[in-house]
Amino acid sequence: MTGPETLVIGVVQHPCHERPAENLELATAGIRKAAERGARLVVLPELHGHRYFCQTEDPAHFDLAEPVPGPTTEALAAEARRCRVTVVGSVFERRAPGLHHNTAVILDRDGALSGTYRKMHIPDDPGYYEKFYFVPGDQGFVPIDTSLGRIGVMVCWDQWYPEAARLMTLAGAEILLFPSAIGWDTADDLPERQRQLDSWITIQRGHAIANGVPVVCANRVGTEPASADGVARTIQFWGSSFGCGPQGEILWRAGDAPTLGMVEIDRPRTEQVRRVWPFLRDRRIDAYAGLDRRYGAPATVPPED
Amino acid sequence: MTGPETLVIGVVQHPCHERPAENLELATAGIRKAAERGARLVVLPELHGHRYFCQTEDPAHFDLAEPVPGPTTEALAAEARRCRVTVVGSVFERRAPGLHHNTAVILDRDGALSGTYRKMHIPDDPGYYEKFYFVPGDQGFVPIDTSLGRIGVMVCWDQWYPEAARLMTLAGAEILLFPSAIGWDTADDLPERQRQLDSWITIQRGHAIANGVPVVCANRVGTEPASADGVARTIQFWGSSFGCGPQGEILWRAGDAPTLGMVEIDRPRTEQVRRVWPFLRDRRIDAYAGLDRRYGAPATVPPED
């Protein structure tokens, strides 16, 4: 373990507006405030520089992409260096002509780019047309080494996949972070919305529990309107950013307003919890081969006695 | 899908006493009552025929084991046939001399043994010395075909492993069932007990969400005392059996008293939920190879651009 025993993480839950400069100001102001309040690490929401452009499939939106490192990375790096905090940001990455990613960038407190994570699981659902924009990541589930230790950064849709959290943990991640942009389709009724929000928090708490690691999630907030042509549906980003400990116990949780959360991670507790709930000990690695299959039932006949 | 659109599952949450005959009576009475109330499937707690003998490592306890099929399987089969319900029971299985399993038995409503599941993940912790008694299962994560459809039965400690739930789902399980025997060490303080119980429910709800399937868990209840020699610690089995739908939404949950729960599973809902939350669609099977490794960080250097 590197860094302080109590790791204070700032979570910037902010809305995203039409003007990118305004969004960058929200992000950098959040970093500054979090650092002033004692954060050593600050997490921003997914694609915090822009309106959630994946509401429609529009080739013009590729103009929003930028290289990594590039302007957003450099602005975040400057703020990280200025405030002496590690920053997890999110960039619409132009890797090559016709090849774009949804990429998390990790800037250490000296402003150096510690690493990137390119979103591995890409959704494609009404209002979230991400497969049009993003090539799935090809870096795998590789945590990033920083001055604060080894950090497992993933992005939004990855949060529904226990495989992702497990692989990050097996690669030594001490904490899992999820920049996110998820919300309600306002056509859904209230009980359905509640189930969706609950399931989103629950599955991420489940990753904390299964792997014995803290999980912190920074979600976007605010309503982004339907397009005039009716193709884009209004999304009410549900906020509810949170942090939980290695038993999935909620440490902090936001509502649906812009906010800055401070999550205190008691890092030695991870070791304590894992001693009493040693799930990594009993994994049946001899019996997990089927996990890299798309689908399929093995023979249902038990072995002969 | 086979069987009724609304599948009613009876969950028998009962304590286990010193005399096996008394426990069998609790199990069969529970099956009868559940059937009278309309259950088509009844789930019993883990190792419901006995006190939780794994509180100590005592060679004499192997006398409690029996073959499958054997007396318990046959008694449950008779009750299943009599009540025309499918029954999931749990047996301390003597497979061969010196070779014992913690085995779930699935009896169909005609009394036939549809299949068995031998607990794959075996714990070994203070008060839960299961590795002394049980050889880990060698059948893999294979669901059982019944007149009600394909049922994914696992046992207790398996419930902490997302890999297990995923493999059952990929093999076609339409619902996941967990006979369990888990409780508090009465030496733990109340906040710790609450965290443990919450994490246990949360991770199972997480399996429902990740896989888009209902989950039903039948836990033992009651306090089983410490041994006179102080080796066995008192366990207060926490009950809290529950059923949830494919979004992890709680359908029914017990407290810590003996009870019979009736869980109504709306089976077509699984299909609806999976259409809107299609997690199986986006799995990165090309990137999951590391899941059958014990531990290890891949290279942290991203691919060259």
Side-chain angles (χ1 to χ4, degrees), chain B residues 23-301:
Chain B
N23 299 324
L24 186 60
E25 174 51 31
L26 285 171
T28 52
I31 294 168
R32 265 196 311 276
K33 273 185 224 150
E36 284 165 14
R37 295 191 199 168
R40 304 286 295 265
L41 175 66
V42 182
V43 189
L44 301 167
E46 182 184 15
L47 300 170
H48 51 82
H50 303 285
R51 287 275 192 194
Y52 185 68
F53 54 84
C54 312
Q55 280 180 291
T56 55
E57 298 192 353
D58 183 347
H61 289 329
F62 286 103
D63 288 342
L64 302 175
E66 58 179 280
V68 172
T72 299
T73 309
E74 282 158 20
L76 296 176
E79 202 61 42
R81 192 170 48 242
R82 199 173 299 130
C83 299
R84 304 292 296 163
V85 288
T86 304
V87 172
V88 176
S90 175
V91 178
F92 181 16
E93 180 190 5
R94 179 176 173 87
R95 183 174 176 186
L99 207 165
H100 301 77
H101 290 283
N102 185 332
T103 300
V105 295
I106 298 84
L107 294 317
D108 217 335
R109 62 180 182 226
D110 60 358
L113 180 63
S114 299
T116 63
Y117 170 82
R118 290 179 177 132
K119 188 171 182 173
M120 290 287 284
H121 298 94
I122 308 292
D124 196 280
D125 298 294
Y128 298 84
Y129 299 105
E130 295 199 15
K131 287 198 207 294
F132 178 73
Y133 295 102
F134 308 128
V135 180
D138 57 346
Q139 297 173 166
F141 302 94
V142 182
I144 309 291
D145 285 322
T146 73
S147 62
L148 296 170
R150 185 165 282 188
I151 311 285
V153 178
M154 289 170 281
V155 178
C156 205
W157 198 239
D158 294 314
Q159 66 211 165
W160 299 98
Y161 292 86
E163 293 92 340
R166 182 70 95 200
L167 286 166
M168 280 291 187
T169 305
L170 294 180
E174 297 167 57
I175 183 169
L176 305 178
L177 306 179
F178 291 100
S180 295
I182 188 168
W184 292 298
D185 183 332
T186 52
D188 283 328
D189 65 20
L190 290 177
E192 172 62 19
R193 293 189 208 182
Q194 191 56 48
R195 283 194 298 272
Q196 292 178 0
L197 173 57
D198 280 353
S199 70
W200 176 77
I201 292 173
T202 299
I203 198 165
Q204 293 178 81
R205 292 176 61 207
H207 303 329
I209 297 160
N211 296 291
V213 289
V215 168
V216 174
C217 176
N219 192 27
R220 176 185 293 236
V221 75
T223 297
E224 302 192 23
S227 59
D229 62 8
V231 172
R233 296 149 73 133
T234 297
I235 302 179
Q236 186 183 343
F237 291 96
W238 63 44
S240 304
S241 302
F242 71 95
C244 70
Q247 289 174 299
E249 74 279 22
I250 295 287
L251 301 172
W252 167 80
R253 179 178 159 182
D256 60 358
T259 190
L260 170 63
M262 304 297 285
V263 183
E264 292 193 18
I265 304 288
D266 175 354
R267 301 173 82 186
R269 216 177 112 62
T270 295
E271 170 71 16
Q272 294 163 24
V273 168
R274 282 173 157 173
R275 288 184 186 194
V276 184
W277 297 95
F279 303 129
L280 296 186
R281 182 191 65 190
D282 296 326
R283 295 179 70 240
R284 288 296 304 273
I285 56 171
D286 59 312
Y288 291 165
L291 290 168
D292 57 10
R293 273 202 308 234
R294 183 61 71 202
Y295 192 74
T300 53
V301 181

Side-chain angles (χ1 to χ4, degrees), chain A residues 5-19:
Chain A
E5 292 216 334
T6 298
L7 175 59
V8 181
I9 303 182
V11 180
V12 185
Q13 173 172 295
H14 73 75
C16 296
H17 304 291
E18 201 55 46
R19 288 199 318 114

Side-chain angles (χ1 to χ4, degrees), chain A residues 93 95 116 118-125 131 136-145 150 157 160-164 166-167 169-173 182-183 192 195-196 198-203 205-207 209-210 238 247-249 269 275-305, chain B residues 93 95 116 118-125 131 136-145 150 157 160-164 166-167 169-173 182-183 192 195-196 198-203 205-207 209-210 238 247-249 269 275-305:
Chain A
E93 180 190 4
R95 184 175 176 184
T116 62
R118 291 181 176 131
K119 187 171 182 173
M120 290 286 286
H121 298 94
I122 309 292
D124 197 279
D125 298 294
K131 286 198 207 295
D138 58 345
Q139 298 174 165
F141 302 94
V142 182
I144 309 292
D145 286 322
R150 187 165 280 188
W157 197 239
W160 300 97
Y161 292 85
E163 293 92 341
R166 181 70 95 199
L167 286 166
T169 305
L170 293 180
I182 188 168
E192 173 61 19
R195 283 194 298 273
Q196 293 177 359
D198 281 352
S199 70
W200 177 78
I201 292 175
T202 300
I203 199 166
R205 293 176 61 206
H207 302 328
I209 297 161
W238 63 45
Q247 290 174 298
E249 74 278 21
R269 215 177 113 63
R275 289 184 185 194
V276 183
W277 297 95
F279 304 130
L280 296 186
R281 182 190 65 193
D282 296 326
R283 295 178 70 241
R284 289 294 305 273
I285 56 171
D286 59 312
Y288 291 164
L291 290 168
D292 57 11
R293 272 202 308 235
R294 184 60 70 202
Y295 191 75
T300 53
V301 181
E304 288 295 319
D305 279 327
Chain B
E93 180 190 5
R95 183 174 176 186
T116 63
R118 290 179 177 132
K119 188 171 182 173
M120 290 287 284
H121 298 94
I122 308 292
D124 196 280
D125 298 294
K131 287 198 207 294
D138 57 346
Q139 297 173 166
F141 302 94
V142 182
I144 309 291
D145 285 322
R150 185 165 282 188
W157 198 239
W160 299 98
Y161 292 86
E163 293 92 340
R166 182 70 95 200
L167 286 166
T169 305
L170 294 180
I182 188 168
E192 172 62 19
R195 283 194 298 272
Q196 292 178 0
D198 280 353
S199 70
W200 176 77
I201 292 173
T202 299
I203 198 165
R205 292 176 61 207
H207 303 329
I209 297 160
W238 63 44
Q247 289 174 299
E249 74 279 22
R269 216 177 112 62
R275 288 184 186 194
V276 184
W277 297 95
F279 303 129
L280 296 186
R281 182 191 65 190
D282 296 326
R283 295 179 70 240
R284 288 296 304 273
I285 56 171
D286 59 312
Y288 291 165
L291 290 168
D292 57 10
R293 273 202 308 234
R294 183 61 71 202
Y295 192 74
T300 53
V301 181
E304 288 296 321
D305 278 327

